[in-house]
């Protein structure tokens, strides 16, 4: 996961990667482009704590947790399950119920939602961080029973990985290149 202020900065990183000798041996699996955002169903923050939450999600500092899970998602637009034909109040209530589950994982999972409408194939990206990948399984399984997900959510794939800092990357590459 790479965060930058602009798409131009992301493109520059991609260009730098293509110039590495290692790049000849890499295969692009998938990519996802989105921008940080805060959900619209909770309304405008009314307190300093609320604004702190907004700012934390608009300019995130990624937590130093060993595991990461990413998945794109969209809301369905099919007959009988079209999210966008629900009233705003109905959507807000479904998202409140969905969020109630998420809040029970506070301190166990760190979540970042990014918007990708017009930038990628799906509407949002969800990135989770945790001390153990079992937390991803627990929260995702529990949230699937709430209508926001069970009736209206589309989740095409999940990617789980581990965090590696710069020192770990250098060690991995040096040990492999020297062997």
């Amino acid at each position: 996961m790479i965060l930058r202020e602009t798409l131009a900065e992301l493109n520059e990183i991609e260009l730098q990667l293509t110039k590495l000798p290692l790049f000849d041996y890499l295969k692009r699996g998938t990519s996802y482009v989105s921008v940080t955002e805060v959900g619209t169903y909770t309304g405008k923050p009314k307190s300093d704590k609320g604004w702190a939450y907004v700012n934390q999600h608009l300019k995130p500092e990624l937590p130093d947790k060993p595991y990461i899970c990413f998945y794109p998602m969209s809301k369905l637009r099919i007959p009988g399950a079209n999210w966008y034909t629900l009233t705003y109040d109905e959507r807000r209530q479904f998202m409140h119920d969905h969020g109630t589950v998420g809040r029970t994982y506070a301190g166990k999972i760190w979540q970042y939602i990014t918007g990708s409408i017009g930038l990628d194939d799906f509407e949002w990206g969800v990135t989770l961080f945790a001390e153990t990948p079992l937390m991803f399984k627990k929260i995702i399984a529990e949230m699937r029973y709430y209508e926001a997900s069970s009736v209206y959510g589309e989740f095409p794939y999940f990617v789980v990985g581990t965090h590696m800092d710069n020192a770990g990357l250098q060690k991995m590459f040096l040990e492999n290149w020297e062997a």
Side-chain angles (χ1 to χ4, degrees):
M1 179 175 190
I2 300 172
L3 298 175
R4 291 298 182 268
E5 291 279 330
T6 68
L7 286 176
E9 290 174 281
L10 288 174
N11 287 337
E12 181 59 34
I13 289 171
E14 185 176 29
L15 180 61
Q16 290 173 8
L17 288 172
T18 65
K19 293 177 181 178
L20 294 174
L22 175 68
F23 192 79
D24 293 338
Y25 302 98
L26 299 176
K27 208 183 247 190
R28 180 182 298 244
T30 188
S31 69
Y32 199 83
V33 176
S34 56
V35 296
T36 56
E37 71 176 33
V38 178
T40 59
Y41 294 107
T42 56
K44 186 175 179 180
K46 297 172 180 66
S47 66
D48 289 342
K49 183 178 178 182
W51 280 110
Y53 174 86
V54 166
N55 290 327
Q56 174 189 357
H57 282 77
L58 290 178
K59 295 188 181 247
E61 290 187 27
L62 301 182
D64 187 18
K65 301 297 171 194
Y67 295 97
I68 182 173
C69 174
F70 171 80
Y71 57 94
M73 65 162 295
S74 291
K75 293 298 187 186
L76 293 177
R77 292 178 180 84
I78 59 174
N82 186 332
W83 179 256
Y84 296 100
T85 60
L86 298 173
T87 68
Y88 176 81
D89 287 336
E90 289 171 317
R91 293 191 314 266
R92 184 178 62 197
Q93 184 60 52
F94 286 148
M95 292 308 294
H96 177 272
D97 296 345
H98 183 76
T100 299
V101 173
R103 286 186 288 282
T104 66
Y105 288 86
K108 299 174 193 164
I109 292 180
W110 288 257
Q111 171 188 283
Y112 295 93
I113 306 295
T114 54
S116 49
I117 296 171
L119 299 174
D120 217 298
D121 293 337
F122 299 94
E123 295 175 327
W124 297 279
V126 178
T127 307
L128 308 173
F129 296 89
E131 293 289 339
T132 171
L134 184 59
M135 296 312 306
F136 306 144
K137 183 180 183 320
K138 286 181 176 183
I139 191 171
I140 291 166
E142 191 173 340
M143 285 189 159
R144 285 183 181 224
Y145 292 99
Y146 287 80
E147 284 186 86
S149 294
S150 67
V151 175
Y152 299 102
E154 176 185 15
F155 308 92
Y157 63 87
F158 291 79
V159 177
V160 175
T162 56
H163 175 262
M164 186 177 293
D165 61 15
N166 287 340
L169 279 171
Q170 288 177 0
K171 181 179 176 188
M172 180 181 75
F173 287 130
L174 289 176
E175 286 178 5
N176 287 328
W177 285 108
E178 292 173 359

